[in-house]
Amino acid sequence: MNKFPVLEIFGPTIQGEGMVVGRKTMFVRTAGCDYSCSWCDSKFTWDGSAKQEIVRMTADEILAKLTETGGDKFDHVTISGGNPALLKNLNELIDVLHDSGNEVALETQGSRWQDWFISIDDLTISPKPPSSGMITNWKSLDHIIGTLRESNRLKNTSLKVVIFNDEDIKYAEKVHERYPDISFFLQVGNDDLEENKATNLANHLLEKYEWLIDKVVASTKLNHVRVLPQVHALVWGNKRGV
Ligand SMILES: C[S@@+](CC[C@H](N)C(=O)[O-])C[C@H]1O[C@@H](n2cnc3c(N)ncnc32)[C@H](O)[C@@H]1O
Ligand SMILES: Nc1nc2[nH]cc(C(=O)O)c2c(=O)[nH]1
Ligand code: SF4
Ligand SMILES: [Mg+2]
């Protein structure tokens, strides 16, 4: 069996973002990313600072740890990172999770395709706007969305763009125009990753949320969309493992 680099296994908690926001879920966070977003809230997955915490685990070992941590208090597992789409054999984990009665969600940025995307129940693709410092490879994104469409998986797929400024709004409009039939989410960007008091962060992020709502309401190109904050950031602030 293949081993996967795991940085965190936690929960049950709620999915704080996007298409299944509020859903009770466990999290598996893999190490390693092909991007380096300026505002990444999970930099420890790729900047080397948590290198000694990475554990190489088989799918069975991950399920055992999920069960040890969450008991029988979960039936949904979200895989995030880093970019879990760097892991070619992750189908092994998805199969083990499905076989044990779980639904499986995945968070990725849309830079790499994997064949196992078609077995994900809740697939979130989060292309990165200009504020991240990353450049979108539209060919890759077209290929990913096109393959999901041909495989009849668009019902299981969503796009989620994190917004920090006006340029990011323009980028979100472009993404939504390019893939109009995919469930589309705009998410408040957290620009204060150092704040360690949850209530201070919540007050700040709620102001950002109001700004984002105002922008989307005023846009003629963002109609069939949803606007959300990171609910976990409102409740627990910048705490890790929630
Ligand atoms: C940490 S990433 C891991 C998965 C994948 N690498 C990706 O970016 O989609 C999970 C989600 O958190 C979002 N995110 C990261 N930093 C953020 C921040 N400072 N504020 C709001 N959302 C953020 C990402 O855009 C992504 O949708
Ligand atoms: N509660 C909670 N919801 C989340 N949604 C996406 C997360 C992520 O870091 O990928 C995340 C996370 O870390 N915690
Ligand atoms: S793609 Fe995701 S994990 Fe990678 S740097 Fe950007 S936000 Fe962080
Ligand atoms: Mg997060």
Side-chain angles (χ1 to χ4, degrees):
M1 258 198 160
N2 286 286
K3 292 191 179 241
F4 306 106
V6 176
L7 252 175
E8 293 183 315
I9 290 177
F10 63 89
T13 180
I14 55 141
Q15 168 56 272
E17 306 177 14
M19 69 192 291
V20 291
V21 67
R23 177 69 156 95
K24 184 175 173 183
T25 190
M26 297 292 290
F27 276 87
V28 176
R29 192 182 300 285
T30 62
C33 193
D34 47 327
Y35 278 16
S36 52
C37 301
S38 60
W39 38 251
C40 178
D41 63 9
S42 305
K43 280 202 167 99
F44 62 93
T45 62
W46 52 266
D47 69 0
S49 60
K51 210 164 68 187
Q52 67 296 337
E53 294 168 49
I54 299 170
V55 183
R56 298 187 59 79
M57 301 171 83
T58 65
D60 286 339
E61 287 166 351
I62 293 170
L63 177 62
K65 185 71 182 176
L66 283 164
T67 306
E68 183 191 317
T69 310
D72 53 6
K73 299 192 289 285
F74 69 94
D75 67 356
H76 187 279
V77 177
T78 304
I79 307 169
S80 186
N83 186 6
L86 297 177
L87 305 171
K88 188 158 71 73
N89 302 303
L90 207 62
N91 54 296
E92 288 178 7
L93 175 61
I94 296 158
D95 290 348
V96 162
L97 293 173
H98 278 152
D99 290 348
S100 54
N102 289 289
E103 289 189 294
V104 181
L106 187 101
E107 305 266 341
T108 188
Q109 65 263 38
S111 57
R112 304 275 180 99
W113 166 260
Q114 293 290 351
D115 288 339
W116 47 256
F117 278 9
I118 58 173
S119 53
I120 297 291
D121 301 292
D122 307 310
L123 177 61
T124 295
I125 299 173
S126 182
K128 297 298 176 261
S131 63
S132 69
M134 300 296 109
I135 306 286
T136 301
N137 183 334
W138 295 101
K139 258 186 142 168
S140 302
L141 200 53
D142 285 351
H143 171 72
I144 291 170
I145 302 289
T147 312
L148 289 166
R149 179 175 285 110
E150 284 159 22
S151 315
N152 226 344
R153 299 303 290 176
L154 293 194
K155 284 247 169 350
N156 303 80
T157 306
S158 70
L159 286 160
K160 178 174 75 185
V161 179
V162 176
I163 305 292
F164 285 80
N165 57 36
D166 288 314
E167 213 188 349
D168 292 352
I169 297 270
K170 287 270 169 285
Y171 175 88
E173 291 176 341
K174 182 171 165 176
V175 175
H176 183 48
E177 271 187 317
R178 197 174 181 104
Y179 314 110
D181 54 344
I182 303 193
S183 177
F184 193 88
F185 293 80
L186 296 104
Q187 173 165 302
V188 176
N190 176 2
D191 62 356
D192 192 356
L193 300 170
E194 301 304 319
E195 176 60 64
N196 49 34
K197 203 157 176 281
T199 50
N200 288 351
L201 186 65
N203 284 331
H204 177 64
L205 293 178
L206 283 172
E207 279 178 20
K208 297 250 162 198
Y209 188 30
E210 188 176 8
W211 174 85
L212 181 56
I213 293 169
D214 288 344
K215 288 289 174 180
V216 172
V217 165
S219 169
T220 56
K221 293 181 174 158
L222 295 170
N223 289 337
H224 195 170
V225 304
R226 292 179 166 81
V227 189
L228 285 175
Q230 291 178 296
V231 175
H232 54 102
L234 295 181
V235 177
W236 297 296
N238 286 314
K239 204 163 128 194
R240 226 176 103 172
V242 289

